[in-house]
Amino acid sequence: MDWNHYRFRSLWTLPAPPATVYDVLERPEDYPRWWPQVRQVTRVDDTTGVIRIRSVLPYDMTFTAREVRRDPEAGVLETALSGDIEGWARWTVAPHGTGTLARYDQVVSVHKPLLRRLAVPGRPVFRANHALMMHSGRRGLLRHLEAV
């Protein structure tokens, strides 16, 4: 088993139409406004940005996200990630009752040296840290959607 390889999935039910949710999620430069753990997003060009995140644990992760798929009809946003983490992340937005189900999938390998050294004992803590970040992101998006 590669202790530095992670597979995450989060499901967010949201009381807004899929098109509205998609519109918010396709603007990562605005994530710091509603997602506290996304500390900074710096656009490099129309399809690439550098993102700095920090959740509960006292370390930042910085990576480049490059858009590989933007398909509003299918509700899919997918990026390739490189830097402290390497892999991919995908949002899939679909109707769910009177609102939306936003599914976040991420498959990454960690390259940040400290996290690699702590891979075995830290793995449950790193997974919990990610879960807390995603929980906070959903709460932030709910508040943001109420305001738009």
Side-chain angles (χ1 to χ4, degrees), residues 3-103:
W3 292 96
N4 291 295
H5 186 79
Y6 291 85
R7 200 176 272 280
F8 298 107
R9 173 171 293 151
S10 295
L11 301 173
W12 296 359
T13 54
L14 303 161
T20 301
V21 173
Y22 188 92
D23 287 346
V24 173
L25 293 176
E26 76 175 341
R27 293 191 308 272
E29 63 275 7
D30 292 341
Y31 283 23
R33 294 181 185 173
W34 55 267
W35 197 337
Q37 292 79 12
V38 179
R39 303 301 174 98
Q40 183 178 16
V41 177
T42 305
R43 278 279 188 188
V44 174
D45 58 34
D46 289 344
T47 62
T48 308
V50 176
I51 300 172
R52 184 173 57 86
I53 61 172
R54 182 178 188 156
S55 190
V56 176
L57 296 176
Y59 62 84
D60 288 359
M61 295 188 74
T62 303
F63 53 90
T64 299
R66 182 182 49 79
E67 179 183 296
V68 295
R69 182 175 178 201
R70 179 186 295 224
D71 185 343
E73 292 300 315
V76 175
L77 295 163
E78 187 171 334
T79 57
L81 309 172
S82 60
D84 287 343
I85 55 176
E86 181 134 356
W88 59 269
R90 179 188 315 120
W91 285 108
T92 307
V93 176
H96 182 73
T98 59
T100 298
L101 178 64
R103 175 178 158 169

